[in-house]
Amino acid sequence: MAHPTQLGFQDAASPVMEELLHFHDHALMIVFLISALVLYIIVAMVSTKLTNKFILDSQEIEIVWTILPAVILVMIALPSLRILYLMDEINDPHLTIKAMGHQWYWSYEYTDYENLNFDAYMVPTQDLTPGQFRLLETDHRMVIPVESPIRILVSAEDVLHSWAVPSMGVKMDAVPGRLNQTALLASRPGVYYGQCSEICGANHSFMPIVIEAVPLPYFETWSANQLDFA
């Protein structure tokens, strides 16, 4: 859950988000080192009057400053590509959920069950209970079992939407007439919040996403109760 004055990412709640955080730190250290080197060179050039003819015209230095950026780019590109393939990997999902975007709410369908589907509307500010978050709470949460690979099918009924949950490392566009696919795996129990991340009209800010990750026995009890209620 994000908080005021937060500078970094939200805490990772899935293996993919953990990998993304590690890659972010890796790339940021490279940026810091490059920035420090460039700043040192600028200060040195401004503050000294000494010159060296071997530096002004040297093939060795030109070779170094040509090869070194290429090596740095490779150091960034290889882990980035690895994470891209990891995010696209869906191996034997235990559960499939279809998330459908509407103006301006989400509907969820658990396709492995015969009649388990519901709409998730934002809870109005005046109806919030103590401890609930304004603009982030929904009247129905998407409940998933912990440590189980979940396949999410994302689409939209009217305009472009985007199903995004930062702590899970998931962001997938919802396109009318197209069924996109992504995967998530909750590392631990908890409640994780997201929002539509594609400007979709007047109430774009008011279609939150709430995922509740629970142990498998609790999920089975919840799904049975939902089926009985339906």
Side-chain angles (χ1 to χ4, degrees):
M1 180 67 196
H3 57 80
T5 72
Q6 178 174 329
L7 296 178
F9 290 100
Q10 297 182 28
D11 291 339
S14 71
V16 167
M17 191 59 192
E18 290 177 9
E19 293 287 341
L20 288 170
L21 289 178
H22 292 154
F23 174 70
H24 169 264
D25 296 342
H26 166 73
L28 204 59
M29 285 307 300
I30 293 175
V31 170
F32 283 154
L33 291 173
I34 293 173
S35 301
L37 176 62
V38 171
L39 182 62
Y40 168 77
I41 293 173
I42 292 173
V43 171
M45 291 181 65
V46 170
S47 61
T48 182
K49 296 180 180 179
L50 299 176
T51 57
N52 189 317
K53 64 178 182 179
F54 297 109
I55 293 179
L56 293 175
D57 186 17
S58 172
Q59 281 200 335
E60 289 80 6
I61 290 180
E62 290 184 8
I63 291 172
V64 169
W65 72 38
T66 301
I67 293 178
L68 193 60
V71 172
I72 293 172
L73 288 175
V74 170
M75 290 173 60
I76 296 174
L78 290 181
S80 173
L81 288 171
R82 173 178 168 272
I83 296 174
L84 279 174
Y85 280 102
L86 279 175
M87 294 175 70
D88 205 36
E89 198 73 28
I90 300 178
N91 291 322
D92 191 23
H94 296 176
L95 184 68
T96 299
I97 303 173
K98 185 166 73 173
M100 184 73 72
H102 309 266
Q103 288 183 311
W104 287 273
Y105 64 96
W106 293 95
S107 61
Y108 298 99
E109 179 183 346
Y110 290 68
T111 58
D112 299 285
Y113 295 83
E114 186 174 346
N115 190 27
L116 181 50
N117 53 76
F118 51 84
D119 299 330
Y121 291 88
M122 186 192 75
V123 177
T125 303
Q126 62 271 19
D127 296 336
L128 291 173
T129 59
Q132 290 187 323
F133 298 104
R134 177 178 169 270
L135 301 183
L136 289 177
E137 291 290 347
T138 59
D139 56 355
H140 292 91
R141 292 173 173 175
M142 192 186 92
V143 181
I144 61 171
V146 172
E147 294 182 345
S148 296
I150 312 294
R151 175 170 53 198
I152 308 294
L153 303 176
V154 184
S155 187
E157 192 178 55
D158 34 50
V159 298
L160 290 175
H161 300 279
S162 185
W163 198 83
V165 183
S167 56
M168 289 284 182
V170 174
K171 184 176 186 292
M172 180 58 65
D173 286 343
V175 183
R178 180 186 178 93
L179 202 60
N180 289 329
Q181 176 178 267
T182 187
L184 61 86
L185 187 149
S187 304
R188 60 181 186 274
V191 179
Y192 308 105
Y193 296 91
Q195 289 177 300
C196 177
S197 296
E198 187 76 52
I199 295 177
C200 56
N203 292 332
H204 157 68
S205 302
F206 309 117
M207 48 183 304
I209 300 157
V210 184
I211 296 178
E212 184 173 355
V214 298
L216 184 58
Y218 291 91
F219 173 78
E220 292 174 340
T221 303
W222 172 83
S223 58
N225 291 338
Q226 292 291 317
L227 291 171
D228 290 342
F229 181 75

